[in-house]
Amino acid sequence: MQQRTIGSRTIGAIGLGGMPMSIEGRPDEARSIATIHAALDAGVTLIDTADAYHLHADEVGHNEELIARAIRSYGGDTSDVLVATKGGHLRPGDGSWTQDGRPEYLKEAAKASAKRLGVEAIGLYQFHRPDPRVPYADSIGAIRDLLDEGVIELAGISNANVAQIDEANEILGGRLVSVQNQFSPAFRSSLDELEHCAKLGIAFLPWSPLGGIARAAAVGERHGAFQRVADARGVSPQQVALAWELALAPVVIPIPGASRPESILDSVRAAELELTAAELDELSGAEELAA
């Protein structure tokens, strides 16, 4: 697979998002494990998770533990796999999402994540979402401390704007390696952040790069240009969407969520799909949604 970088790590250009395997509508564990193993077989070396990827209030870290089990049970070499997790987002168990950006909470959450993942140091740890009740600098200061103390190897942020990217990078002493924001054919308002990351050489990880769990299957229906290019190339519109995102900047590493082996294998093929300049122009100007 085409390779890209996050900090000092070289990884496959398409990652795997673990959230669908642990929240509402999740499959049985056997299918999830099979999905992760299929991704690894296909050359995926970035797996994205978070302690908040769970369904019930008493199963915090469900997805982290699932991914750890899948990696342990994989028959091949996993030494180059980077597991990226996040802290600062919570799910009380009633379907809602809340935030906790307090430094003391983040430090304890990171240590708990490391334990669930079965590692001495987390490969990549990202502040999941700003907490409006806590100064952003205080939250990022906790991430800096975790980095300095060796609890985490690489530091990132998620759901951040351009000003927050710069603030985080300054607090981290230039060691910010990733920004994970929502970005897809339907959601392009993070383009400024993507371009800013490209200027700084910071990896940009689009979450919900196909529009989210409920809409990923309808990329072609909702965005006609992606379907037209897909038909002409004999590939899926999902592959076209991911290839378009990869072409926007060399720092982009999409992390499509998947809960079936077939889904992640289709997504991985996007890393080898080279779109023409004319196709990229058409796709970049196509924001229409079907009624």
Side-chain angles (χ1 to χ4, degrees):
M1 190 195 301
Q2 178 190 154
Q3 300 292 293
R4 299 203 163 179
T5 59
I6 297 180
S8 59
R9 299 288 296 268
T10 299
I11 60 168
I14 298 291
L16 169 64
M19 187 175 76
M21 304 178 202
S22 292
I23 64 167
E24 290 82 353
R26 64 193 185 193
D28 61 67
E29 181 166 315
R31 196 177 89 185
S32 293
I33 296 289
T35 299
I36 296 167
H37 287 178
L40 295 172
D41 285 342
V44 170
T45 50
L46 172 66
I47 302 179
D48 177 76
T49 183
D51 60 1
Y53 293 167
H54 61 90
L55 181 56
H56 306 295
D58 61 352
E59 56 174 18
V60 173
H62 178 279
N63 195 244
E64 293 174 324
E65 293 177 338
L66 172 66
I67 288 168
R69 286 194 294 274
I71 291 175
R72 284 196 300 270
S73 64
Y74 183 64
D77 181 14
T78 58
S79 60
D80 60 347
V81 175
L82 176 62
V83 177
T85 192
K86 300 180 288 294
H89 226 349
L90 299 87
R91 299 203 77 194
D94 59 0
S96 67
W97 296 77
T98 60
Q99 293 86 41
D100 192 339
R102 292 174 299 135
E104 59 271 26
Y105 171 78
L106 291 172
K107 291 179 180 181
E108 290 304 313
K111 293 172 184 176
S113 288
K115 184 176 182 180
R116 286 189 291 265
L117 291 170
V119 297
E120 292 186 5
I122 296 172
L124 171 59
Y125 193 71
Q126 301 168 106
F127 179 39
H128 203 155
R129 185 178 290 274
D131 183 346
R133 302 165 301 176
V134 179
Y136 195 64
D138 291 354
S139 298
I140 301 302
I143 305 298
R144 177 199 59 214
D145 293 346
L146 290 166
L147 191 59
D148 290 341
E149 294 165 10
V151 177
I152 66 176
E153 296 176 353
L154 298 171
I157 55 177
S158 184
N159 300 299
N161 59 35
V162 168
Q164 289 167 332
I165 292 170
D166 287 339
E167 183 178 5
N169 199 32
E170 181 178 358
I171 292 170
L172 291 166
R175 294 177 293 173
L176 179 68
V177 301
S178 66
V179 174
Q180 184 173 324
N181 278 13
Q182 184 177 8
F183 187 86
S184 69
F187 190 95
R188 307 189 188 196
S189 60
S190 285
L191 184 60
D192 287 346
E193 287 77 21
L194 185 158
E195 293 175 343
H196 193 60
C197 285
K199 292 177 183 177
L200 297 175
I202 294 171
F204 184 87
L205 315 180
W207 62 263
S208 289
L210 299 175
I213 297 172
R215 297 185 176 185
V219 170
E221 297 174 23
R222 297 177 61 82
H223 307 277
F226 289 82
Q227 187 65 60
R228 289 192 294 274
V229 172
D231 289 342
R233 290 299 197 99
V235 300
S236 71
Q238 289 78 15
Q239 280 185 47
V240 173
L242 295 172
W244 166 69
E245 291 167 18
L246 287 170
L248 291 175
V251 300
V252 176
I253 305 170
I255 45 173
S259 61
R260 297 184 302 119
E262 297 83 1
S263 297
I264 190 58
L265 292 178
D266 183 75
S267 292
V268 164
R269 297 186 188 102
E272 309 309 325
L273 177 61
E274 188 172 345
L275 300 171
T276 68
E279 288 170 334
L280 291 171
D281 284 344
E282 180 181 8
L283 297 172
S284 292
E287 296 189 56
E288 80 280 1
L289 297 180

